[in-house]
Amino acid sequence: MESLTAIIVGVLVAASVYLMLAPSFLRFLFGLILLSNAANLVIFASGRMTEGAPALVPEGASAPTGVVGNALPQALVLTAIVIGFGLLAFTLALAFEAYRRLRTLETEEMREAEPVEGGEETRA
Amino acid sequence: MSWLLVFPIAIPFATAVLAYLWRNGAEGKWISLAGSIGSLIASGLLMSAVLREGVIAGQMSNWDAPFGITLVADYLSAVMVVITAITGLATAIYAMGEIEARLERLGYHALFQVLIAGVTGAFLTGDLFNLYVWFEVMLIASFGLLVLGGSKAQLDAGIKYVALNLISTLVFLSGIGLLYGLTGTLNMADLRGAVAAVENQGLVTVIAMMFMVGFGVKAAVFPLFFWLPASYHTPSFAVSAVFAGLLTKVGVYALMRMFTLVFVGDVGFTHEILIWVSVLTMVTGVLGAAAQTDFRKILSFHIISQIGYMTLGLALFTPLALMGGVFYLVHHIIVKANLFLVAGVAQKLTGDTDLNRIGGLYKSSPWLAALFIVPAFSLAGFPPLSGFWAKYLIVMASIELQAWVITFFALLVGLLTIFSMTKIWGMAFWKPHPDGIEPVPERIPAAVRIPMMIPIVGLAAMTVGIGLFPEPFVQFAEVSAAQLLSPTDYVDTVLGVRGMAP
């Protein structure tokens, strides 16, 4: 189970790096989504995988008996998913607004904040 | 006891809610001001408690460490919280003059207070995953502030800023996951023992490098700083001042905390890398600044070069160096925020921030010129201003280690900093305005000018004050460095070995 998760993480990271190297910001954003999922899987796997042992406390007892799954990484992943979702939604909205105003999402052409070298030199 | 730790975070959040509800009227800015004063009082109380007790910790919801979330303040955390509140108050006053009603209606004050809450939370937390959450709070607020107003340059800058910061967050998050897998704990004090007990120290070093990259992007060290000069010159001046003062310093603080408390197993490797990263940061930052002709772009590159000094203090890893690092951190926040505030007034007076298109400030507004000189020369390290003592401590530490190459670069970068500052001085202040405008102070209406000048005067007075009476601050930094280098008090207080109020 762990090795399968490790392979999935590897594939996700590889795909996300490939997407992030693309010149379009939208592709970069998709890469970011994959990377965020890879990070979540890493946390999930680092809590160790336990099959079919939910962290439930039997009735009448005050602590779970026997081996149970680690609930903490799941709580962490849940938090990370929520935060990641918010951030990615913002980034998508930002990308949309940028496309609407700048008429491009090619990162090479986005030079509003940092005008091309030479433009400043000629003014000097 | 634990309430003292909660107030500096809770007050800005409450203020944010109120400021959002009243964002359409004139009340918003006053609510923001009142909240900032409240934060300053709360952080002052926290500071006095820390001075009394050394380290204080509080377990949230009474879940004992290492299971629950711990808030903890030692000398370094306390001083960072106080300086955050001071910067917050200064920019809140400044914003009363600068920020237009249009931006207020979009929720400027609420976002600003959330940013302050996020920064304060990051300084106070004693839990690694909680630190990630505070980073995100800070990040989302800074995204909003950066693009608020929505000019083309801001959107472009926003894309670059968001993209690089999100990658760093994900690297940091993966690092947390792997570290948890290795040690089974997320409490920073508990991690110190747990990490030392790990058999395969090679894995720890790999994770340490992930943290170094994650925090390094936040702190804007070489070669991870490209988001900073791409974005800091685009938002309103109050925003860029608070960004310049605080955001990168959170990264430096996180580096200082993790690489003194947790990752100290292989100092010869990790801190050696950090030394050369710091030197390259200092040099590339200052050379980048030399090539710029925009007021704010020059200042942005100088943030990077100064970050190098702070991480150098950490990297040299001697008591004197860390002391210098802490002193530098505090001094730099005040000075850098102030320089951006001055840039804002200069822009309002002359109509631009491009140094080729402005001028005449010295003749028409000599007071502003005097107030620029103080932080600018402090940044370059002129005695008797605060920057001199900060640089002195770092350079002394490198001489003590007989690291002559580092000493040489630390002094060289100081010299090049003067070059940039004199460039701003010569072009913005001395030469006449190219369009023949006389930038007299009366060009800004008094209702805008007065709130913009109050924080500049206040922060400049603090710079001079620290410079003339450095003794208590140096002593404070010394204790702080001692706490960082042997964090037994920190660990014992958090884990409840030493008697602690629940």
Side-chain angles (χ1 to χ4, degrees):
Chain A
M1 211 29 199
E2 261 114 355
S3 47
L4 183 64
T5 322
I7 292 168
I8 295 174
V9 169
V11 171
L12 280 177
V13 172
S16 84
V17 169
Y18 175 75
L19 282 172
M20 280 182 176
L21 294 176
S24 162
F25 183 71
L26 200 61
R27 283 187 176 223
F28 176 91
L29 186 56
F30 291 148
L32 211 55
I33 295 173
L34 290 187
L35 193 63
S36 134
N37 286 333
N40 290 340
L41 267 180
V42 166
I43 300 178
F44 184 60
S46 64
R48 307 295 184 273
M49 303 283 190
T50 340
E51 262 178 73
L56 296 176
V57 182
E59 225 171 301
S62 62
T65 49
V67 178
V68 295
N70 188 348
L72 182 72
Q74 299 176 29
L76 299 185
V77 169
L78 194 63
T79 316
I81 288 176
V82 172
I83 293 175
F85 180 76
L87 288 176
L88 291 170
F90 173 86
T91 315
L92 191 61
L94 180 67
F96 179 73
E97 182 66 16
Y99 181 69
R100 209 174 59 80
R101 295 284 305 281
L102 308 175
R103 302 312 304 170
T104 180
L105 275 180
E106 300 295 310
T107 37
E108 288 291 317
E109 292 166 22
M110 302 173 85
R111 307 293 306 217
E112 287 290 333
E114 293 168 292
V116 187
E117 309 274 324
E120 279 186 346
E121 305 302 321
T122 47
R123 217 161 50 213
Chain B
M1 180 60 67
S2 69
W3 283 108
L4 279 178
L5 289 157
V6 175
F7 276 131
I9 304 173
I11 291 174
F13 268 129
T15 314
V17 173
L18 293 175
Y20 187 75
L21 291 175
W22 273 278
R23 67 186 183 282
N24 287 322
E27 297 93 339
K29 60 178 100 168
W30 293 103
I31 292 171
S32 178
L33 179 67
S36 299
I37 294 172
S39 302
L40 187 58
I41 295 170
S43 60
L45 290 174
L46 176 70
M47 176 57 113
S48 67
V50 168
L51 285 176
R52 224 174 24 246
E53 314 230 344
V55 183
I56 57 175
Q59 316 295 348
M60 296 301 104
S61 314
N62 281 337
W63 286 91
D64 282 341
F67 302 110
I69 288 172
T70 310
L71 292 185
V72 46
D74 63 350
Y75 270 46
L76 178 61
S77 300
V79 74
M80 293 311 284
V81 170
V82 170
I83 208 78
T84 304
I86 290 173
T87 317
L89 180 60
T91 33
I93 298 173
Y94 192 84
M96 294 177 81
E98 195 210 350
I99 301 299
E100 314 144 24
R102 184 177 68 96
L103 296 182
E104 286 186 331
R105 275 197 298 278
L106 291 169
Y108 169 84
H109 295 297
L111 281 171
F112 171 73
Q113 292 291 342
V114 172
L115 181 75
I116 296 291
V119 171
T120 313
F123 290 143
L124 283 178
T125 185
D127 183 277
L128 208 47
F129 195 79
N130 198 232
L131 181 65
Y132 160 76
V133 174
W134 288 121
F135 266 67
E136 300 299 278
V137 170
M138 188 176 92
L139 215 53
I140 195 79
S142 69
F143 290 171
L145 285 172
L146 184 62
V147 298
L148 203 67
S151 75
K152 279 185 177 180
Q154 276 177 302
L155 288 170
D156 181 16
I159 294 256
K160 290 160 188 169
Y161 178 84
V162 168
L164 289 174
N165 272 292
L166 284 183
I167 293 180
S168 97
T169 300
L170 290 173
V171 173
F172 173 36
L173 184 62
S174 314
I176 293 177
L178 293 171
L179 196 59
Y180 176 75
L182 213 54
T183 61
T185 180
L186 287 170
N187 186 296
M188 277 143 73
D190 198 28
L191 272 171
R192 182 177 172 85
V195 161
V198 170
E199 241 173 70
N200 193 342
Q201 284 292 323
L203 284 178
V204 173
T205 308
V206 171
I207 295 172
M209 293 316 293
M210 289 183 80
F211 276 85
M212 199 186 282
V213 170
F215 294 146
V217 175
K218 306 273 177 207
V221 297
F222 177 86
L224 309 164
F225 61 74
F226 295 99
W227 56 273
L228 194 150
S231 59
Y232 272 25
H233 60 285
T234 57
S236 57
F237 288 86
V239 171
S240 57
V242 79
F243 279 18
L246 294 176
L247 289 194
T248 46
K249 309 313 171 300
V250 181
V252 177
Y253 165 85
L255 277 174
M256 276 193 179
R257 181 63 77 204
M258 290 308 284
F259 284 84
T260 57
L261 185 63
V262 180
F263 299 120
V264 286
D266 196 359
V267 174
F269 180 73
T270 50
H271 290 58
E272 183 74 18
I273 291 180
L274 214 46
I275 286 180
W276 296 110
V277 164
S278 305
V279 171
L280 284 168
T281 309
M282 281 154 51
V283 175
T284 47
V286 86
L287 291 180
Q292 299 298 325
T293 52
D294 182 278
F295 208 135
R296 276 202 283 186
K297 276 187 188 167
I298 293 178
L299 295 179
S300 299
F301 273 102
H302 273 294
I303 299 176
I304 298 164
S305 90
Q306 307 284 318
I307 290 290
Y309 283 98
M310 294 166 222
T311 48
L312 187 62
L314 166 66
L316 292 174
F317 212 57
T318 63
L320 189 63
L322 263 174
M323 181 175 146
V326 172
F327 193 97
Y328 215 112
L329 203 54
V330 174
H331 131 78
H332 181 77
I333 292 176
I334 300 171
V335 164
K336 201 56 175 210
N338 202 7
L339 280 170
F340 272 86
L341 297 180
V342 172
V345 177
Q347 189 264 346
K348 281 245 185 315
L349 287 173
T350 57
D352 209 326
T353 54
D354 188 334
L355 292 177
N356 291 314
R357 286 189 238 161
I358 65 176
L361 281 168
Y362 179 70
K363 191 172 161 228
S364 308
S365 308
W367 275 102
L368 185 70
L371 288 169
F372 171 76
I373 280 282
V374 171
F377 274 47
S378 178
L379 192 75
F382 266 56
L385 298 161
S386 60
F388 169 71
W389 303 105
K391 279 211 172 61
Y392 174 77
L393 289 171
I394 299 276
V395 170
M396 271 301 285
S398 63
I399 291 177
E400 202 180 64
L401 291 170
Q402 303 190 334
W404 306 118
V405 181
I406 297 168
T407 314
F408 169 74
F409 279 114
L411 292 171
L412 178 75
V413 170
L415 198 66
L416 289 171
T417 309
I418 302 173
F419 165 70
S420 287
M421 290 302 131
T422 44
K423 183 160 83 179
I424 296 180
W425 179 252
M427 295 180 81
F429 289 87
W430 260 357
K431 82 167 182 339
H433 198 289
D435 302 336
I437 298 173
E438 295 264 326
V440 287
E442 285 70 33
R443 276 168 61 88
I444 312 177
V448 174
R449 190 175 70 228
I450 292 166
M452 284 172 88
M453 290 311 288
I454 291 172
I456 294 178
V457 173
L459 293 176
M462 286 178 67
T463 309
V464 175
I466 296 176
L468 291 179
F469 305 101
E471 188 64 22
F473 298 96
V474 170
Q475 273 169 4
F476 185 93
E478 196 174 1
V479 179
S480 177
Q483 278 185 344
L484 286 172
L485 276 175
S486 62
T488 40
D489 256 7
Y490 184 95
V491 174
D492 290 352
T493 311
V494 171
L495 298 181
V497 180
R498 217 178 62 167
M500 179 188 55

